Amino acid sequence: MKLNKLSLSLAITLALGSTFGMAHAETTAAHTKAKTTTVTNTQAKAKETLPAGVYTDTKDNWARDAIQAMSQAGYLSGYSDNTFKPSAQITREQAAAIYGKVLQHNLNEQELADIVTKESATSYSDVEADRWSNSAIKLVSAAGVMQGTSKTAFTPSKTMNREEFVASAASLAKKLNITTPVKTEKIRFKDEDSISLDYVADINYMAERGIVASGTTENFNPKQPVTRAQAATILNRMLNGAGLATPKHAAPEAKAETAVKEDAKKVEKAVEKDASKLSKDAKKDVAKLDKDAKKDAAKADKAVKEDAKKAEKAAKADAKKVEKDVKHNKSEAVAQKTEPTRTVRPVRRSTLKALDQKQQSSLEDKVFVELNKTYKTPEAFQDYGVMYWRDNQLHVALKSDSDISTVKANLASRGDSTVNNYVVVEPSQYSQTEYDAIDANFRNYYSKNEKAGTILATFPDVENNQLYAVVSTASKDTQQGISKLFGSKVKMTVKR
């Protein structure tokens, strides 16, 4: 699984696609092109003084906690100057982008696939194919979370008022089967007569569960525009209450060896907790599993080193072949020998023009020139981050916030439009080396416990901080064992 420059063009196009922000894509800090060195330095300074998810204009805001929770979860984001603009109003397409992100993170593959099949029937005359919000609007419309303002128009730039936003949030909650308990059955608002009849049921649904405040002394203000702070608060109450607001990104500095040790401690703790609830025979089985897991870990460490040597040797051989023949079909065949194509989830469409094999290789060379200023060699870089292609963009995911700022500045200083448009620098919890260690441990456990099964593909899912594995079969015991041993670090999917 060890990643090198020559295998980058085969990195998996992840299912969840482009990250939606709350505002237009050009304002999303993690996925926009680098602007200027001055802006980059401003971002770096803000990150050094404020916690993740807290912005310069929200640190003293009444909705600070909600904004921070939703930002850390990856559902909302700030602007390139490290502000959030909590008082700004929400448009229909911005709401669609938020809801689309929530759906992608919380529906399973089959549910998403069912929605995607309905997208072809969704079309609005005022939503152009290259509009930044087109994919999100199609997704939420096909899911039944939001509808057009008419049969042919979505009116994407129209500001949403409170009754419209709360009603659409209620549709999202029902789509996700959020079962927040009812807190009060008798709902009254001081201005209830001014609420549109079409929205009364959904607003009552949200008020009964405490997601929006109610009471005879409370005004709902149905026609008042929704602000970014209010939207974050409503979503936080709804998603946190259902356990769907887990932060996506953290940035520990531990290396692969530390990650393996932490895994072992968690496994040991989980085994001890479960053992107290099991029968005498079950306890013996758990003890045996613990012993086998430790042996597997030792074997995995040895296997990782051996695989690294083989991968380096194979990479050199592949490099010579690529230099001799740069034709697309030839280079594609060579790349497939290095690592099989493994598109296993629905692909989100990108508005960027796709780069061909030669253009991708040229872009990778440019990026490595800048990375080598910090990490000296591509091999050394693998201890600090991971690189992969997704949605026609080259993603450079780094563990250190300070490294992110440095790399962004170096890339921006090139003044290269291709680099600016096609390279995304983002945070990652794990480096390539750490992903390799997780991968090796997973492969050892799976091959030992699933004799008739085959591992079809494994690759880093950086957005969700986990290794994504596709297998041909997995028994209930194997699935439970994987969950117990690796927790959220491994997402295993069975594809028959």
Side-chain angles (χ1 to χ4, degrees), residues 359-375:
Q359 290 172 322
Q360 287 185 352
S361 179
S362 174
L363 181 59
E364 292 163 10
D365 289 338
K366 293 177 182 178
V367 172
F368 267 108
V369 168
E370 303 306 324
L371 289 176
N372 290 345
K373 293 178 181 179
T374 301
Y375 305 109

Side-chain angles (χ1 to χ4, degrees), residues 103-148:
L103 287 172
Q104 290 179 68
H105 279 311
N106 295 290
L107 292 180
N108 61 41
E109 291 180 21
Q110 186 58 55
E111 290 170 328
L112 282 172
D114 291 342
I115 293 174
V116 170
T117 60
K118 300 177 183 178
E119 286 189 9
S120 59
T122 304
S123 177
Y124 298 105
S125 60
D126 57 352
V127 181
E128 302 83 2
D130 59 351
R131 191 181 184 94
W132 73 270
S133 58
N134 177 53
S135 295
I137 290 172
K138 283 193 172 184
L139 179 66
V140 297
S141 295
V145 174
M146 291 182 70
Q147 300 299 328

